[in-house]
Amino acid sequence: MSDNHHNAAHQDDNQLIAERREKLKALREAQAQGQGVAFPNDFKPQDHAATLQEAYGETAAEQLDGEGAARITTRIAGRMMLKRVMGKASFATLQDSSGRFQIYVTRDAVGEEVYAAFKHWDLGDIVGAEGHLFKTRTGELSLHATSVRLLTKSLRPMPDKFHGVADQEVKYRQRYVDLMTDEAARKRFVARSKAVNGIREFMLAHNFLEVETPMLHPIPGGANARPFVTHHNALEQEMFLRIAPELYLKRLLVGGFDRVFEINRNFRNEGISVRHNPEFTMMEFYAAYWNYQDLMGFTEALVRDAAQKAVGTLQLSYQGRPVDLSQPFARMTIREAIYAHTEAGAHVDDAAWLMAALKKLGLSEEKNKLSTRSLASLQVLYFEETVEDKLWQPTFIMEHPTEISPLARANDARPDVTERFELYITGREFGNGFSELNDAEDQAARFHAQVAAKDSGDDEAMFFDHDFVRALEYGMPPAGGCGIGIDRLMMLLTDSPSIRDVILFPALRREHELQAPRREG
């Protein structure tokens, strides 16, 4: 490529930006003299790259070589990604939202003045072209331009075309450049959109009503998490960003809707990691007259359907290891999982042994209050430390302790555990569901226990929600509810190692506060 921007990566960016600003200045001066518009807004593309390839990619060259009315004419527009200037004729590649398309620009077809200007346009500029289709000698479908227009002048050089954005931090911070230069990134977010749309279709097909509930809550509820706090000036009160929509969705069951769901943004003021972002997308759904067994079957079907729609297969690969969604998902209690996946054996029911084992794993008495925990609670801690990451194939883990499940219905035969499950795939939690607690007096007692835990220093414990208890006092039908982490599901479906890869604009430290380049954890 004779265009001197081939060496852009090796030149001082400031110099290149200065040169491009000069070119824009010339365009503005020409506009001031009535010659063209610096940023025109009257060009309408007729086709996209992909639709042209689909329609004419296999057409023989001689069929496209007609004269006059027989020619196939069109208009396309896109970002100029490649440019090869050869005297009186040049090739350029334009990229639109669907893909790339080559244009052939000659001095004779577009005129001397336009061709001279075209030779000075830069990679990254957005260009419109009109002309007729033809096949090059190598058989590439191309547009023989009869006119070309500069629609948007790009003031910053693009990253080196062979490497795109190499720095992971820059990919997240400047997602627009990542999408511009990395086709895999674009495909990942298209797959995400298809999967979310598929989930919505699946829910609607099963007679669920899509609803919207508040993001600003007077008290946080529906999950054990630290909230973001804000202040509402007009109401003169402290408000909390939603940590979960659960308590509002269950109010709708009280109101008479049998099946509701919400694809929602939640906010939790906690750590950032490869699987945690402070704001994330969940899908929560509630169905009257379902229990946790019904929920597990439905959740399994939902995950399969999302995979089929997003990637077209149930045989996935995640970070080099197979994940098979086609087989029935395993179901185990926490106790059974410890028994199956660790050396605990009969010690699974020995509180003293579990306490000693947890201390060996580095959990301190002061922070985790091991000696005050019940056997069921110690089993959960031991499970989290030793079993979670072993659950690679889809597995439902059931029967969490009542004391850590303040909104779930207790098991009638064993009141110390609840009718609750968590779905694990690739060693990560993907969903959490349970038969709902609809006993208003029991719920009030559970909230009181949470308040006591909060008073003794647990900043993730729940507040007492008087209005929710009042709603239950009107009577909520027996029901089941589940929340599914959409971002984690997308990580699985797109084989992405970090949650930041599937969130268009993940949370990052402010740029000027960066002391040094941060590495992805």
Side-chain angles (χ1 to χ4, degrees), residues 5-7 11 16 41 50 97 116 181 183 195 230 260 277 296 319 330 452 509 513:
H5 292 97
H6 177 71
N7 297 316
Q11 293 183 35
L16 291 170
N41 190 21
S97 61
T181 55
E183 188 182 3
T230 185
V260 292
N277 195 62
M296 284 190 280
Q319 302 301 289
R509 198 180 293 273
E513 291 174 4

Side-chain angles (χ1 to χ4, degrees), residues 79-118:
R79 190 178 297 279
M80 189 158 63
M81 305 300 285
L82 298 165
K83 185 175 160 202
R84 199 165 76 248
V85 176
M86 308 170 299
K88 299 176 185 177
S90 300
F91 282 102
T93 300
L94 303 186
Q95 176 176 289
D96 64 19
S97 61
S98 72
R100 294 184 174 193
F101 205 83
Q102 181 170 270
I103 64 171
Y104 178 58
V105 185
T106 64
R107 189 183 68 183
D108 292 348
V110 300
E112 193 147 349
E113 196 178 329
V114 171
Y115 188 67
F118 169 79

Side-chain angles (χ1 to χ4, degrees), residues 429-502:
E429 183 202 335
F430 277 69
N432 177 30
F434 38 83
S435 303
E436 298 298 336
L437 178 59
N438 63 340
D439 177 338
E441 292 181 347
D442 188 356
Q443 183 64 79
R446 304 261 200 110
F447 277 152
H448 280 304
Q450 287 285 301
V451 171
K454 186 173 279 297
D455 290 343
S456 65
D458 182 351
D459 57 9
E460 290 190 0
M462 293 185 190
F463 289 73
F464 194 106
D465 189 330
H466 291 276
D467 180 67
F468 179 64
V469 172
R470 179 169 58 193
L472 290 184
E473 287 171 349
Y474 279 97
M476 184 177 89
C482 181
I484 294 173
I486 297 294
D487 304 312
R488 288 192 189 173
L489 183 57
M490 297 311 144
M491 287 170 67
L492 173 67
L493 298 182
T494 61
D495 192 11
S496 299
S498 169
I499 197 167
R500 294 180 181 187
D501 296 325
V502 297

Side-chain angles (χ1 to χ4, degrees), residues 204-251:
L204 295 173
H206 286 85
N207 300 317
F208 280 82
L209 180 74
E210 184 170 15
V211 296
E212 292 170 302
T213 62
M215 280 197 192
L216 280 175
H217 290 187
I219 58 171
N224 294 90
R226 291 180 64 182
F228 285 93
V229 185
T230 185
H231 185 80
H232 195 298
N233 291 337
L235 294 176
E236 294 185 346
Q237 70 182 35
E238 188 175 62
M239 301 287 277
F240 303 87
L241 290 184
R242 170 169 64 197
I243 56 174
E246 176 166 344
L247 301 185
Y248 284 94
L249 292 172
K250 288 199 280 202
R251 284 170 169 91

